[in-house]
Amino acid sequence: MNRFYTIPILMVLLATGVFFQSGCVQSRSASGAQGSSQHSGPEITVEGMVNSFGAEPFAAVILNSDERNSWVLELSAEDRDRLMMPARVRATGTVYAADWQGRLRAHMRVRELILLDQ
């Protein structure tokens, strides 16, 4: 009778070990991804529509490109004040990854912001 119980117990232990190990690997890769937000990526220029999401003081300005990509914009106070959203803009800046609303998102430190005619 011990043989009938041994196989299911071994299967449960094996499955538990696999789930535990995959959780460890996943948490390590997530922490590594957050660490990559410290490094800046390339400078790019993107055209698209900007909108504000969220409520002040936690609102973020999001740029949605025509190619359906989006970036959380890090703007100077001057650029933020002159924006009337929604607006069509051309933004040039450095891309990096950082957390926004609990998820890793593309961000852009804007060096130049040009308002385009609508």
Side-chain angles (χ1 to χ4, degrees), residues 53-93:
F53 288 92
E56 290 296 338
F58 305 108
V61 178
I62 309 295
L63 170 61
N64 292 305
S65 72
D66 299 332
E67 293 81 26
R68 305 190 78 141
N69 296 317
S70 60
W71 293 266
V72 178
L73 298 183
E74 184 180 310
L75 297 168
S76 67
E78 177 184 308
D79 282 340
R80 193 176 183 109
D81 289 343
R82 71 185 179 108
L83 269 178
M84 297 295 289
M85 292 178 258
R88 184 150 182 83
V89 301
R90 179 180 305 129
T92 301

Side-chain angles (χ1 to χ4, degrees), residues 13 18 21 59 70-71 74 87 98 101 108 111:
L13 289 174
V18 169
Q21 184 146 4
S70 60
W71 293 266
E74 184 180 310
Q101 291 190 344
M108 181 190 294
R111 181 180 55 80

Side-chain angles (χ1 to χ4, degrees), residues 4-80:
F4 293 112
Y5 293 112
T6 305
I7 292 173
I9 290 173
L10 286 174
M11 295 297 284
V12 168
L13 289 174
L14 180 62
T16 304
V18 169
F19 289 131
F20 177 74
Q21 184 146 4
S22 66
C24 290
V25 170
Q26 186 176 17
S27 67
R28 251 185 295 178
S29 64
S31 65
Q34 288 175 349
S36 68
S37 67
Q38 303 301 323
H39 304 291
S40 294
E43 184 168 285
I44 63 170
T45 299
V46 180
E47 286 187 22
M49 295 295 291
V50 291
N51 285 298
S52 179
F53 288 92
E56 290 296 338
F58 305 108
V61 178
I62 309 295
L63 170 61
N64 292 305
S65 72
D66 299 332
E67 293 81 26
R68 305 190 78 141
N69 296 317
S70 60
W71 293 266
V72 178
L73 298 183
E74 184 180 310
L75 297 168
S76 67
E78 177 184 308
D79 282 340
R80 193 176 183 109

